[in-house]
Amino acid sequence: MSQDIGDWEAYLSPEKNKDYFKSLLSFLNSRIGYEIYPPRKTWFRAFEYSSFASTKVIILGQDPYHGEGQAEGLSFSVPKGIAIPPSLRNIYKELNQDDVDFTNPGHGHLVNWAKQGVLLLNSVLTVEKNSPASHANRGWEVFTDQVIQLLNENKDNLVFLLWGAYANKKSDLIDHKKHLILSAAHPSPFSAHNGFFGCKHFSKTNEYLKSTDQELIDWSLPL
């Protein structure tokens, strides 16, 4: 964790000394000759933008985009100038149908959400080019499960957006009495019509934040 992850450091630094994390780093170092996404300096970017103190919403993805230039360390987000991926296009469609202020900005850069305390967390933080799930089951899931558990235990009234069967399994790590869990199908074109469209998770998130005296998320994205 060479990035400046601010107040997360106190919570996450103990992980660096655990065997699973050392094994994960050893694996990653062994893959140096391969093209790994996102770039190393952005592996922990989600923690840079959404501090532990400010985090109030968690959107959980699976692993980073595996196409060139897409992954930037934030789940579902891509840099400006990169085509909006299909799942994110469907997220935008749902935002347009939901009772929130949103207009498609023409890009997929979600950093404005992250800066408001939306932790855009992938379960696995790295992937190899054109090889989905290539870094699964190497230790990242242990690390990100610990992130979820730390949030669950040390904060109150969080909103967890769990989309798809993989993300929904993480609900076992969350105290349903302390936090709001919103589950739906994955926004992928293969599954979005099975319950993602019409879920209204964005307005429901803000309703819950309002009911718990927290600042609402501005889901609109600057051009």
Side-chain angles (χ1 to χ4, degrees), residues 88-136:
L88 185 53
R89 284 203 302 271
N90 285 337
I91 291 170
Y92 285 1
K93 286 180 184 177
E94 175 58 23
L95 278 158
N96 274 319
Q97 299 174 73
D98 203 346
D99 303 317
V100 294
D101 180 25
F102 182 80
T103 302
N104 188 325
H107 64 76
H109 190 49
L110 305 180
V111 70
N112 200 54
W113 295 355
K115 288 179 177 178
Q116 297 177 75
V118 179
L119 182 66
L120 296 167
L121 182 67
N122 280 316
S123 182
V124 175
L125 300 189
T126 56
V127 72
E128 286 174 28
K129 182 178 182 180
N130 299 330
S131 186
S134 49
H135 289 187

Side-chain angles (χ1 to χ4, degrees), residues 1 15-26 44 139-140 143:
M1 275 176 278
E15 300 306 300
K16 292 185 286 189
N17 298 317
K18 295 181 180 178
D19 288 343
Y20 85 87
F21 200 84
K22 291 176 182 176
S23 176
L24 169 63
L25 289 180
S26 177
F44 301 99
W140 278 129
F143 176 75

Side-chain angles (χ1 to χ4, degrees), residues 34-173:
Y34 296 81
E35 198 149 357
I36 294 175
Y37 299 142
R40 190 179 188 113
K41 66 181 186 297
T42 62
W43 290 355
F44 301 99
R45 177 163 280 172
F47 306 104
E48 290 184 50
Y49 283 120
S50 185
S51 69
F52 188 89
S54 69
T55 292
K56 51 193 173 185
V57 179
I58 297 90
I59 298 180
L60 190 68
Q62 192 160 351
D63 63 347
Y65 296 120
H66 54 83
E68 187 172 357
Q70 291 181 304
E72 58 175 350
L74 304 170
S75 62
F76 294 102
S77 183
V78 293
K80 287 185 177 181
I82 297 293
I84 301 172
S87 291
L88 185 53
R89 284 203 302 271
N90 285 337
I91 291 170
Y92 285 1
K93 286 180 184 177
E94 175 58 23
L95 278 158
N96 274 319
Q97 299 174 73
D98 203 346
D99 303 317
V100 294
D101 180 25
F102 182 80
T103 302
N104 188 325
H107 64 76
H109 190 49
L110 305 180
V111 70
N112 200 54
W113 295 355
K115 288 179 177 178
Q116 297 177 75
V118 179
L119 182 66
L120 296 167
L121 182 67
N122 280 316
S123 182
V124 175
L125 300 189
T126 56
V127 72
E128 286 174 28
K129 182 178 182 180
N130 299 330
S131 186
S134 49
H135 289 187
N137 303 313
R138 293 290 184 171
W140 278 129
E141 296 92 338
V142 181
F143 176 75
T144 53
D145 280 0
Q146 179 66 4
V147 170
I148 294 169
Q149 290 171 311
L150 285 164
L151 287 164
N152 174 62
E153 292 165 9
N154 293 285
K155 301 201 67 158
D156 295 309
N157 303 320
L158 297 171
V159 183
F160 290 86
L161 304 184
L162 306 181
W163 300 331
Y166 181 88
N168 272 286
K169 291 176 184 174
K170 304 297 182 180
S171 65
D172 294 342
L173 305 172

